[in-house]
Amino acid sequence: MATRTMPRVFIPPPMRSLTEGEEVVDVGGTNLGQVIAHLERRFPGMKERLCQDDDIRPGLSVAVAGSVATLGMLQRTNPEVEIHFLPAIGGG
Amino acid sequence: MATAENPKYKVIGTRPIRHDGADKVTGRARYGADIQLSGMLYGAMLRSPHAHANIKSIDTSKAEALPGVRAVATSADLPEQGDRVVELGEGAANMRHLTANVLARGKVLYRGHSIAAVAADNIHIAEEAIKLIEVEYELLPPVMDVVGAMAENAPVLNDDIRTESVGSAPPAKDSKPTNVAKHFLFEKGDVAAGFAEADIIVEREFDTAMVHQGYIEPHNATVLWNTDGKLTVWISTQGSFTVRQQTAELLKIPISNVKVIPTEIGGGFGGKISVYLPPVAAVLSKKTGRPVKLVMSRTNVFEATGPTPGSHMKVKLGATKDGKLVAGEAWIAFEAGAYTGSPIGPACMCVFACYDLPHGRVEGFDVCVNKPRTNAYRAPGSTHVAFATETLVNEICEKIDVDPAEFRINNAAKEGVRRVDGPVYARVGMVETVEAIKNSEHYKTALEGKYRGRGIASGFWFNCGLKSAASATVNPDGTVSLLEGSTDIGGSRTGIAMQLAEALGITAEEVIPAVGDTDSVGYCDVTGGSRVTFATGIAAIEAAKDIQRQLVDRAAMIWEVDSSHVSYSDGGVHGPDGKQLSFKEMAAKLHGTGGAVIGRGTSSEATQGGAFGTHCVDVEVDVDLGKVQILRYTAAQDAGTAIHPSYVEGQMQGGAVQGIGWALNEEYWYDEQGEMRNSTYLDYRIPTCYDVPMIDTIIVEVPDPQHPYGVRGVGEVPICPPPAAIANAIYDAVGVRMHDLPMSPPKLLAEILKK
Amino acid sequence: MSAKRVVTFTVNGDQVEILCEPRQSLLEVLRDDLDLTGTKEGCSNGNCGACTVIMDGRPVVSCLVLAVEAEGAELRTIEGVACGSTLDEVQAAFLEGAALQCGICTPGIIVQTEALLEENPNPTEDDVRFYLAGNLCRCTGYDKIVRAVQAAAEKRQVAASN
Ligand code: FES
Ligand code: FES
């Protein structure tokens, strides 16, 4: 299996209209902010759906490599990671 | 589970007496309602008798004229919020909705919705005064049912709500308002192709009623708005920092003007995160210059806090005849209550979380109805969906004649499995919990007797790590004072102290833990999300490491060697030539080596795991009454590493019994007008001591790779399996499948009679 | 509001005299006037047992007793259970058995248990469950409470036979 050279972003179904149906895209970036900036360049409109005032939208959480990103846009990424956009989880 | 099986550890796995124990068995512990301040006034609140109405006018003049009344407040006393969505530590909130929930603005959206508040010399005068407030209402038709509320022509509760779909373009501002506040969609694989591979497909619709967390201590808040503009809030809460933030945002003042002093707390289970009383008490205190205490009645707690939603669900599962799950589909609608914010997101993520499902599709809706604004309740959203999925799994097992434990093991989520919502599991313990049940005395002992049956079910809940902080000061006698910011609902301060003790090589009793106020300890997210023992534990371990580093430097100074030649292990410092000093000996030398040693630690670690539980229950059904008696109960759960096994067992037992209540009795019972008809404990009927048997526990330990000692959160998942396990047991006993919670005597009897 | 009355009773052996309104419950007077806040309020309508105290030897829910009805009574509250600075067997058993989580129900349950063991020093599991059925606990699922009560009973019996 060829190793990836960029983080892999899973596109939530409602956002696939922006990616022409693409479910998974690989984009560059060493932190989440860069990844989202690259996504926006390739698929204009993406950032508005994910961010509010340059931060992740309230109510949304981002899982990087299986863990919820606690550092927001500064969360480090690397070519091996998967990135998922999910509803924020609270708890009782 | 204890140290015998965990020889790695000295403190972890033991069962020390909790540090706050003496105060709690002697009545000395101070809970929120126990706060007494000099000059304190007592408050009471006027609440809506209607489920849905416009407020035409409020006249408070007669109340104000009553002798002994010191101030009256309405929403006019709280600042306008505009359209702001704010992240509040655990979940985002629309501030316009939050303020309207605290004091209604122009409209009441549920019975019990607060309208005005009075502060008076004593509670009786305050209660008399609220009866003198005159409100003119224009009644509107209530919308009580989640599916009805989604209909095109349903009356709309909020004119500023339009369906937001995570990841979709924001809805147009001029589009028609709706009750459907949120829509979620998750897909994995190709669902149609998946079902095409199935030999057997089951599809059912499920309903669950709104239920309450039912903590015994009612909500309370005592607030002093001082002349310097600084507020002090005494409150029993799951999160002092979120109370600080919500209070400051609702009053539009800086957070540094608000100090929250968390008192002891009498239960929360997710219900004591949202703020109801502090801004109201604050306004009354500002008006009077005196501290004001507000305490809810039990009826207020039921009608006007944040229960967890009722739901309507359609779930479909497909499997091959040799017992492999191939596809699943779920459509889930949750009652948000008056404003958006039900745990529908996590529900969608949990519905198939126990299984390795190649193809899945999950759709969820957050729907406003004229009931209180819902909130988290222990594994929020997961119990609902476990009821659906876990009863379907058993139905499949019956149809293909496979043992339900075997089926669960064969299809279990495990390391490397991708969930329907996307992420891939790290090491998790679903298989181990089912195996624990399968190998238990209980499961292996045949159940005999007429109308008796056995059921099992599994459940999943996330561990959210979030942020915690702790500091620890070494005392000259070799003890450590530990200060942390996670309010302690079930013994967590001892669980955290034990981790610090383990890291320093001292005993649990040598740590003196305390929960600090918001001015004295670093930021901690709420006590919830199965996170405290994990995350605040990590912060405490980090604080211990910080102490170790400082003691290493001090020892190096004493021995006149470079710090690199000194290390900390086994409860002391070790240097060259066999030199060593115990922690206690080092502590005694603090004053001569530079003064205090204070360690600090923070954590913002996210967990990778998540916790699984599997339960087994035996029931007997009274076929004349439809009443279900629980005969025997065993709960198995993956705790990662059990820090204090008694408190892990306690969480499992308490969660299981709450789940039993949800399964058999508990529900919000509304009439046509939207009036709750069972807003007392007598009528709502949580389980009593006499309703349940002993709850046997099996702690499984599959360490979480993300925590130094392998801790997983244990608080929430035990509530998930009981309703499905009991439904499966009822089927085994009398051959009827229940799809509607609670499975109360009239409903079960009706099904039995249909047969 | 009608005129205040003087009410006299003993609490945990101390004679007290208070001035109260006829509408004040015993619970309110204990907590607000006498600062005995160990007795808790969970519902104020007799459903939860958090406010249990012993009145003339019998357990009562103090939210349903008017303070004026306590005239001349002998009351025992959670604050009077320990013997000086030593916990009694029930309190100790609750700590050893981890029979509390949040602890809000604990004072009421301990007081109710004192009454139970007075009546029945050697209760079966069923006896315990029946006697404590009016004391709600939402945290523990009751398992460890029932065990702690039985452990305390046993300890007390052993102590009595020595
Ligand atoms: S407060 Fe008296 S029984 Fe609940
Ligand atoms: S320990 Fe919390 S209610 Fe019993």
Side-chain angles (χ1 to χ4, degrees):
Chain A
M1 200 173 77
T3 44
R4 285 205 312 269
T5 57
M6 290 186 285
R8 176 159 289 177
V9 184
F10 283 68
I11 309 293
M15 271 167 63
R16 292 181 194 156
S17 58
L18 295 177
T19 61
E20 287 166 2
E22 216 53 71
E23 292 174 25
V24 175
V25 296
D26 292 351
V27 292
T30 55
N31 69 26
L32 191 58
Q34 291 174 14
V35 168
I36 291 178
H38 281 121
L39 276 177
E40 172 68 16
R41 222 164 297 150
R42 238 168 98 185
F43 309 110
M46 202 71 128
K47 188 170 175 195
E48 192 200 349
R49 301 203 187 171
L50 297 172
C51 299
Q52 169 180 309
D53 308 330
D54 272 327
D55 220 330
I56 303 298
R57 257 184 194 290
L60 193 65
S61 79
V62 186
V64 176
S67 293
V68 172
T70 47
L71 302 178
M73 302 295 256
L74 300 177
Q75 187 78 32
R76 305 291 298 170
T77 58
N78 64 51
E80 275 103 63
V81 301
E82 285 186 7
I83 297 172
H84 296 270
F85 299 100
L86 300 168
I89 311 155
Chain B
M1 88 198 139
T3 38
E5 287 153 59
N6 240 337
K8 294 200 287 202
Y9 301 123
K10 291 206 173 69
V11 179
I12 289 172
T14 62
R15 302 175 189 239
I17 294 207
R18 59 196 280 169
H19 298 81
D20 53 336
D23 279 349
K24 287 194 170 147
V25 296
T26 54
R28 229 166 246 128
R30 290 261 164 183
Y31 292 76
D34 302 337
I35 296 297
Q36 298 276 6
L37 299 169
S38 61
M40 189 173 81
L41 299 173
Y42 294 77
M45 296 183 77
L46 174 69
R47 294 175 178 279
S48 171
H50 307 298
H52 198 187
N54 287 320
I55 299 173
K56 309 278 280 183
S57 66
I58 305 176
D59 181 354
T60 60
S61 53
K62 286 193 188 128
E64 277 162 70
L66 186 73
V69 169
R70 304 291 173 154
V72 180
T74 65
S75 62
D77 297 299
L78 289 173
E80 285 283 350
Q81 291 290 340
D83 246 338
R84 300 194 295 144
V85 177
V86 176
E87 188 61 59
L88 293 172
E90 206 211 42
N94 175 314
M95 291 305 299
R96 179 192 293 176
H97 297 161
L98 197 62
T99 193
N101 196 47
V102 166
L103 280 169
R105 286 187 176 252
K107 202 175 180 195
V108 286
L109 293 177
Y110 54 96
R111 180 181 156 97
H113 199 156
S114 54
I115 295 169
V118 170
D121 291 349
N122 67 45
I123 185 67
H124 304 285
I125 299 173
E127 278 168 359
E128 269 173 47
I130 58 169
K131 291 188 200 133
L132 300 175
I133 298 174
E134 288 164 4
V135 183
E136 202 187 326
Y137 299 97
E138 175 194 8
L139 297 190
L140 299 167
V143 187
M144 303 307 292
D145 148 64
V146 65
V147 176
M150 296 175 81
E152 189 58 33
N153 56 355
V156 172
L157 275 71
N158 295 285
D159 61 12
D160 61 345
I161 287 185
R162 289 164 183 86
T163 310
E164 271 178 48
S165 189
V166 172
S168 293
K173 286 253 182 272
D174 56 359
S175 59
K176 195 167 155 263
T178 163
N179 293 323
V180 184
K182 287 208 181 88
H183 171 232
F184 292 97
L185 176 62
F186 301 93
E187 282 172 336
K188 176 187 170 190
D190 180 340
V191 184
F195 280 112
E197 284 170 37
D199 300 310
I200 169 138
I201 295 174
V202 285
E203 181 175 15
R204 302 275 174 248
E205 296 196 21
F206 299 86
D207 288 283
T208 71
M210 177 174 270
V211 292
H212 198 273
Q213 299 84 352
Y215 33 77
I216 307 298
E217 179 205 34
H219 292 250
N220 55 71
T222 306
V223 178
L224 172 64
W225 192 312
N226 214 337
T227 49
D228 57 5
K230 305 267 192 205
L231 267 74
T232 308
V233 181
W234 291 261
I235 186 170
S236 50
T237 174
Q238 289 179 248
S240 41
F241 287 90
T242 187
V243 169
R244 177 177 75 169
Q245 195 190 347
Q246 291 181 60
T247 305
E249 298 275 6
L250 286 162
L251 297 168
K252 287 201 166 166
I253 58 175
I255 55 166
S256 54
N257 280 20
V258 182
K259 168 169 158 177
V260 177
I261 302 180
T263 63
E264 295 299 338
I265 168 173
F269 314 110
K272 286 186 185 152
I273 296 172
S274 220
V275 146
Y276 304 96
L277 303 175
V280 181
V283 165
L284 292 170
S285 177
K286 189 178 187 190
K287 288 186 168 198
T288 56
R290 292 164 62 170
V292 175
K293 173 151 96 176
L294 281 170
V295 180
M296 286 194 188
S297 70
R298 178 54 50 185
T299 293
N300 293 165
V301 172
F302 277 118
E303 290 187 340
T305 60
T308 221
S311 66
H312 182 75
M313 303 175 278
K314 281 180 241 177
V315 183
K316 180 175 165 184
L317 272 182
T320 60
K321 55 180 179 304
D322 50 354
K324 194 81 198 106
L325 275 175
V326 285
E329 198 169 359
W331 184 99
I332 309 162
F334 269 18
E335 294 172 338
Y339 306 100
T340 171
S342 78
I344 182 65
C348 292
M349 295 158 81
C350 288
V351 60
F352 299 129
C354 288
Y355 299 102
D356 177 4
L357 195 66
H359 306 283
R361 183 175 196 281
V362 181
E363 203 171 3
F365 301 88
D366 189 31
V367 185
C368 295
V369 294
N370 290 110
K371 298 183 184 179
R373 169 173 166 264
T374 59
N375 253 300
Y377 176 23
R378 209 165 196 159
S382 190
T383 304
H384 306 72
V385 294
F387 174 56
T389 302
E390 293 295 299
T391 53
L392 291 185
V393 163
N394 269 40
E395 204 175 328
I396 288 178
C397 291
E398 189 205 357
K399 294 204 161 116
I400 60 175
D401 198 20
V402 177
D403 173 73
E406 207 53 55
F407 184 92
R408 284 176 171 82
I409 291 168
N410 290 339
N411 290 284
K414 47 172 117 42
E415 187 169 4
V417 164
R418 187 177 294 286
R419 301 202 312 247
V420 173
D421 54 310
V424 173
Y425 280 114
R427 182 75 175 93
V428 289
M430 166 74 179
V431 171
E432 288 80 354
T433 68
V434 188
E435 277 170 351
I437 285 296
K438 203 179 146 210
N439 299 328
S440 67
E441 205 30 57
H442 183 170
Y443 200 72
K444 288 196 287 202
T445 311
L447 174 66
E448 277 158 27
K450 212 171 171 203
Y451 306 130
R452 291 180 165 196
R454 174 172 294 165
I456 68 164
S458 299
F460 164 79
W461 182 249
F462 306 91
N463 286 183
C464 51
L466 301 178
K467 294 174 287 295
S468 282
S471 64
T473 306
V474 181
N475 298 312
D477 63 354
T479 60
V480 178
S481 300
L482 168 67
L483 193 62
E484 43 102 355
S486 294
T487 55
D488 176 0
I489 313 187
S492 59
R493 83 193 93 188
T494 296
I496 294 159
M498 288 170 74
Q499 296 179 60
L500 181 98
E502 184 74 47
L504 287 177
I506 60 178
T507 66
E509 292 75 14
E510 285 166 331
V511 181
I512 306 148
V515 179
D517 64 57
T518 53
D519 282 353
S520 60
V521 62
Y523 181 87
C524 278
D525 278 309
V526 298
T527 297
S530 299
R531 62 171 290 279
V532 168
T533 307
F534 176 90
T536 312
I538 292 178
I541 296 166
E542 289 300 317
K545 287 192 196 151
D546 193 13
I547 289 174
Q548 291 181 3
R549 280 190 291 271
Q550 296 177 52
L551 293 182
V552 161
D553 288 345
R554 302 263 176 125
M557 186 167 78
I558 295 168
W559 292 328
E560 297 183 63
V561 297
D562 191 80
S563 297
S564 62
H565 299 299
V566 182
S567 63
Y568 193 102
S569 62
D570 297 327
V573 281
H574 303 269
D577 314 322
K579 286 196 181 68
Q580 58 177 37
L581 284 165
S582 70
F583 179 80
K584 221 183 180 95
E585 288 165 331
M586 281 304 296
K589 292 182 191 297
L590 287 188
H591 292 320
T593 56
V597 165
I598 304 170
R600 49 185 193 154
T602 60
S603 154
S604 63
E605 216 68 28
T607 69
Q608 294 217 319
F612 291 86
T614 301
H615 295 190
C616 179
V617 60
D618 294 348
V619 303
E620 182 173 280
V621 179
D622 181 328
V623 291
D624 296 321
L625 297 174
K627 187 174 181 306
V628 176
Q629 188 66 38
I630 309 286
L631 302 173
R632 186 172 181 183
Y633 204 102
T634 305
Q637 188 176 324
D638 174 16
T641 297
I643 299 291
H644 191 308
S646 297
Y647 287 102
V648 173
E649 293 158 8
Q651 289 296 323
M652 293 164 70
Q653 292 163 336
V657 169
Q658 281 185 324
I660 291 170
W662 194 339
L664 294 177
N665 293 326
E666 295 179 35
E667 67 181 307
Y668 270 51
W669 212 80
Y670 283 100
D671 65 15
E672 306 271 278
Q673 277 70 49
E675 183 174 338
M676 184 180 180
R677 301 311 294 266
N678 61 338
S679 59
T680 65
Y681 270 141
L682 190 65
D683 298 323
Y684 180 81
R685 196 64 174 77
I686 68 174
T688 73
C689 204
Y690 205 57
D691 294 328
V692 289
M694 292 296 185
I695 307 293
D696 295 333
T697 56
I698 306 170
I699 300 175
V700 175
E701 295 188 306
V702 180
D704 184 321
Q706 208 76 355
H707 184 283
Y709 302 133
V711 169
R712 287 183 204 271
V714 297
E716 297 181 273
V717 81
I719 199 174
C720 305
I726 293 169
N728 290 334
I730 290 172
Y731 179 77
D732 190 39
V734 293
V736 302
R737 288 231 176 255
M738 298 298 290
H739 301 114
D740 196 348
L741 292 184
M743 299 175 283
S744 51
K747 279 196 238 165
L748 178 53
L749 188 60
E751 290 303 314
I752 292 171
L753 292 177
K754 266 191 225 159
K755 252 190 52 158
Chain C
M1 184 180 35
S2 46
K4 292 195 172 183
R5 311 250 179 102
V6 176
V7 181
T8 314
F9 48 73
T10 65
V11 186
N12 304 323
D14 296 336
Q15 182 90 21
V16 298
E17 193 178 70
I18 52 149
L19 195 59
C20 70
E21 291 180 38
R23 64 183 169 184
Q24 284 184 280
S25 69
L26 177 58
L27 174 63
E28 183 185 342
V29 164
L30 288 172
R31 288 177 52 82
D32 291 357
D33 295 70
L34 300 173
D35 200 26
L36 292 169
T37 55
T39 304
K40 301 301 177 193
E41 174 174 346
C43 68
S44 254
N45 55 11
N47 296 165
C48 77
C51 63
T52 304
V53 301
I54 294 174
M55 184 165 161
D56 295 328
R58 277 185 26 224
V60 296
V61 279
S62 61
C63 67
L64 293 189
V65 176
L66 290 171
V68 292
E69 291 179 284
E71 175 61 42
E74 252 180 62
L75 299 170
R76 189 170 175 217
T77 69
I78 185 67
E79 288 88 350
V81 171
C83 180
S85 57
T86 310
L87 297 180
D88 94 329
E89 298 87 347
V90 180
Q91 293 170 313
F94 269 61
L95 289 186
E96 276 152 26
L100 56 143
Q101 286 177 31
C102 79
I104 196 87
C105 67
T106 309
I109 292 185
I110 288 177
V111 169
Q112 184 78 12
T113 301
E114 296 292 344
L116 163 66
L117 298 185
E118 198 68 32
E119 275 177 42
N120 178 357
N122 189 16
T124 62
E125 180 188 338
D126 197 66
D127 294 339
V128 175
R129 289 189 181 276
F130 187 76
Y131 205 91
L132 294 183
N135 290 77
L136 300 178
C137 171
R138 190 59 155 172
C139 298
T140 63
Y142 304 105
D143 182 303
K144 293 189 190 307
I145 292 176
V146 175
R147 291 177 200 277
V149 171
Q150 291 195 283
E154 207 181 303
K155 235 202 240 170
R156 204 170 267 187
Q157 285 208 304
V158 170
S161 66
N162 285 342

